[in-house]
């Protein structure tokens, strides 16, 4: 009986936490196929080498090829600032209002984060007059990658650019692919609202390479942030060290912990909300109520035909979704910590009780009315989140990703006597006599 599949329109894998080998099968289900990784990495290496060596010419060649364009210079790929403003002005009143509200909420959250997360300089003075501290400064220039292939993501513009600007980054450069020259007005309007300084209509590994190495037209940046496809992820991995990166983002994920008290249609649609991103996205439900799991399955089959992206959703759910019956909500929390999901919904009578037990998750959505999609667009917290179990050791994108810290040390004459003696002893112990002498020279004879 383990694992079994529902005989329904969508064949979603069913697991039971009490069956033998559950943990191994669960972890195996979280893994993605690796067959194409080497081919992708090899292709990306060639693209990056070309960008590094040929600059604008290589960017132009790859952009014309992959985005099916016919432009003669990279300068033609830059969108003037006035076009961004015009895109915003041309929105319908409803779209403009929605974008304004989302931007305001994202900005307010990250301004609060800047204060509360210690993104500021500090120092203290010791009794002998020695002063120690930390100087916090923003990065000079940041590149944000905004996907533009299967769908357009104005929300990604807000989530990447606004915290950078709140942090004090002087220049934000956005890259976004525009296959066949199609420009999304909402994406451009979001760039205007977020304060993006320059926008280039390039994508893929060539965009990452241009931001990392610079070309005649595109300046290099200090850090590249934002999600993209497998080629973008591979490129970010390769240029890390030359520039900073936020994370290597994988396919989107949602994990729902539900006690069975929620409308099953709501749960089904929440699972759909991530499945519609792409065929590799993963949606998982953990619930102690077997009858409720059946109801969610029925809701999936009922609601799927209404979805414009039904084929993508069905492929994602068939290949990677899991409906898991657990012993109780406590066990659901234990399993959730093993999964370390990007998005974690807790749909239960007392969500905060269970949230206290969660240690690993990119974002935690509590309560029946907190759909994950609100976090994607307008709740306020960042939607650029760790995927593929990396929430065990990493965090959402935030203001802290756009600052750096310098240690501040000012030793007084009195402090040099005490510290100099300590440093001298330790330096001699390491066999570094010049270190020792540098400290000893400042000691009073």
């Amino acid at each position: 009986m383990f694992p079994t599949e529902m005989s329904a329109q969508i064949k979603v894998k069913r697991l039971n936490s009490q069956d033998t080998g559950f943990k191994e099968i669960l972890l195996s289900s979280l893994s993605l196929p690796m067959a194409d990784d080497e081919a992708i990495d090899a292709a990306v290496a060639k693209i990056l080498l070309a960008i590094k060596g040929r600059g604008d010419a290589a960017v132009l060649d790859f952009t014309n090829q992959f985005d099916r364009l016919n432009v003669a210079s990279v300068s033609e790929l830059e969108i003037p600032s006035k076009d961004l403003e015009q895109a915003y002005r041309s929105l319908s009143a409803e779209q403009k209002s929605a974008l304004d509200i989302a931007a305001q909420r994202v900005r307010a959250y990250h301004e609060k984060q800047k204060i509360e997360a210690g993104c500021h300089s500090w120092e203290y003075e010791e009794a002998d007059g020695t002063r120690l501290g930390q100087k916090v400064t923003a990065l000079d220039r940041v590149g944000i990658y905004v996907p533009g292939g299967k769908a357009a993501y104005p929300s990604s513009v807000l989530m990447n650019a606004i915290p950078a600007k709140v942090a004090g980054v002087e220049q934000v450069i956005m890259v976004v692919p525009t296959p066949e020259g199609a420009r999304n007005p909402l994406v451009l309007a979001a760039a205007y609202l977020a304060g993006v300084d320059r926008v280039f209509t390039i994508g893929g590994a060539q965009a990452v390479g241009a931001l990392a190495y610079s070309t005649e037209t595109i300046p290099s940046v200090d850090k590249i942030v934002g999600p993209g496809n497998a080629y973008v992820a591979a490129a970010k991995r390769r240029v890390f060290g030359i520039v900073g990166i936020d994370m290597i983002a994988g396919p989107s994920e949602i994990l729902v912990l539900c006690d069975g008290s929620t409308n099953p249609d709501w749960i089904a649609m929440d699972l759909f909300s991530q499945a519609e991103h792409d065929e590799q996205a993963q949606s998982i439900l953990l619930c102690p109520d077997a009858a409720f799991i059946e109801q969610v399955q029925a809701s999936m089959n009922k609601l799927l035909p209404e979805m414009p992206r039904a084929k993508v959703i069905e492929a994602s759910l068939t290949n990677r979704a899991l409906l898991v019956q657990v012993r109780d909500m406590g066990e659901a929390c234990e399993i959730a910590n093993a999964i370390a999901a990007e998005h974690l919904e807790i749909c239960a009578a007392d969500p905060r009780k269970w949230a206290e037990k969660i240690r690993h998750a990119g974002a935690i959505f509590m309560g029946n009315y907190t759909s994950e999609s609100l976090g994607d667009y307008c709740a306020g917290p960042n939607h650029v989140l760790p995927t593929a179990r990396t929430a065990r050791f990493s965090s959402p994108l935030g203001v802290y990703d756009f600052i750096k810290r310098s240690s501040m040390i000012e030793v007084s004459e009195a402090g040099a006597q005490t510290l100099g003696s300590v440093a001298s002893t330790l330096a001699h112990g390491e066999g570094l006599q010049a270190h020792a002498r540098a400290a000893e020279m400042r000691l009073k004879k």
Side-chain angles (χ1 to χ4, degrees), residues 84 98 117 120 213 284 362:
L84 304 183
H120 50 79
Y213 301 127
I284 300 176

Side-chain angles (χ1 to χ4, degrees), residues 35-47 230-235 238:
D36 296 331
D37 279 10
E38 289 186 8
I40 290 172
D41 194 55
V44 165
K46 291 181 180 178
I47 291 171
Y231 290 88
V232 172
R238 277 187 166 269

Side-chain angles (χ1 to χ4, degrees), residues 214-433:
S214 82
T215 71
E216 296 87 339
T217 305
I218 303 169
S220 61
V221 299
D222 301 312
K223 192 168 190 174
I224 301 172
V225 302
N229 63 17
Y231 290 88
V232 172
K236 286 171 70 176
R237 184 181 288 111
R238 277 187 166 269
V239 301
F240 176 63
I242 298 169
V243 294
I245 62 171
D246 51 348
M247 62 187 78
I248 304 297
S252 192
E253 312 156 358
I254 185 170
L255 171 63
V256 180
L257 275 57
C258 186
D259 61 6
S261 63
T262 309
N263 186 324
D265 286 355
W266 295 5
I267 301 300
M269 195 59 66
D270 289 352
L271 297 173
F272 283 6
S273 71
Q274 296 311 295
E276 74 174 345
H277 275 293
D278 63 64
E279 295 83 354
Q280 294 297 322
Q282 186 162 55
S283 303
I284 300 176
L285 170 63
L286 304 181
C287 179
D289 188 334
F292 182 78
I293 292 176
E294 297 282 357
Q295 291 171 12
V296 171
Q297 174 72 67
S299 292
M300 287 180 172
N301 294 321
K302 177 184 69 175
L303 297 170
L304 183 65
E306 303 173 8
M307 297 293 102
R309 295 173 66 83
K311 288 186 178 179
V312 175
I313 293 172
E314 183 174 13
S316 171
L317 296 178
T318 300
N319 295 329
R320 304 207 65 219
L322 300 173
L323 301 178
V324 183
Q325 183 180 351
V326 295
R327 185 174 60 244
D328 51 37
M329 287 293 287
E331 184 183 49
C333 293
E334 294 175 13
I335 295 170
N337 284 323
I339 293 173
E342 177 188 17
H343 307 102
L344 173 64
E345 282 189 9
I346 304 177
C347 297
D350 187 2
R352 288 187 174 271
K353 170 185 175 182
W354 306 115
E356 287 294 320
K357 298 179 180 294
I358 299 299
R359 301 188 309 279
H360 310 307
I364 302 172
F365 302 80
M366 296 174 287
N368 290 332
Y369 291 96
T370 315
S371 69
E372 183 279 332
S373 60
L374 300 183
D376 275 349
Y377 295 107
C378 56
N382 210 286
H383 82 190
V384 181
L385 302 167
T387 63
R389 303 190 67 230
T390 58
R392 294 174 294 121
F393 54 80
S394 56
S395 308
L397 189 72
V399 173
Y400 38 73
D401 285 296
F402 300 102
I403 62 172
K404 59 192 187 307
R405 303 165 182 86
S406 302
S407 299
M408 301 291 285
I409 306 166
E410 183 182 357
V411 178
S412 66
E413 182 180 359
Q417 310 311 303
T418 303
L419 296 179
S421 178
V422 172
S424 172
T425 300
L426 295 176
H428 281 301
E430 292 183 353
L432 299 176
Q433 281 73 29

Side-chain angles (χ1 to χ4, degrees), residues 56 60 64 70-78 217:
D56 274 359
L60 203 60
N64 282 334
N70 184 25
V71 296
S73 69
V74 174
S75 61
E76 294 179 48
L77 298 172
E78 183 170 4
T217 305

Side-chain angles (χ1 to χ4, degrees), residues 135-157:
K135 183 178 182 180
V136 174
T137 53
L139 305 184
D140 290 338
R141 184 185 292 133
V142 166
I144 67 171
Y145 189 99
V146 178
K150 292 184 178 181
Y153 297 100
S155 56
S156 285
V157 180

Side-chain angles (χ1 to χ4, degrees), residues 19-76:
D19 287 328
T20 303
F22 166 73
K23 184 176 181 180
E24 290 74 17
I25 294 177
L26 174 67
L27 293 178
S28 175
S29 298
L30 300 177
S31 302
L32 282 165
M34 307 290 284
D36 296 331
D37 279 10
E38 289 186 8
I40 290 172
D41 194 55
V44 165
K46 291 181 180 178
I47 291 171
L48 293 178
L49 186 62
I51 299 297
K52 191 175 183 180
R54 297 173 50 229
D56 274 359
V59 170
L60 203 60
D61 288 346
F62 290 125
T63 301
N64 282 334
Q65 176 187 348
F66 296 136
D67 288 344
R68 302 173 296 283
L69 301 178
N70 184 25
V71 296
S73 69
V74 174
S75 61
E76 294 179 48

Side-chain angles (χ1 to χ4, degrees), residues 179-203:
E180 299 178 343
R183 297 179 178 181
N184 185 281
L186 271 173
V187 168
L188 302 188
Y192 169 73
L193 269 185
V196 172
D197 298 284
R198 299 180 72 181
V199 178
F200 291 93
T201 56
I202 58 174

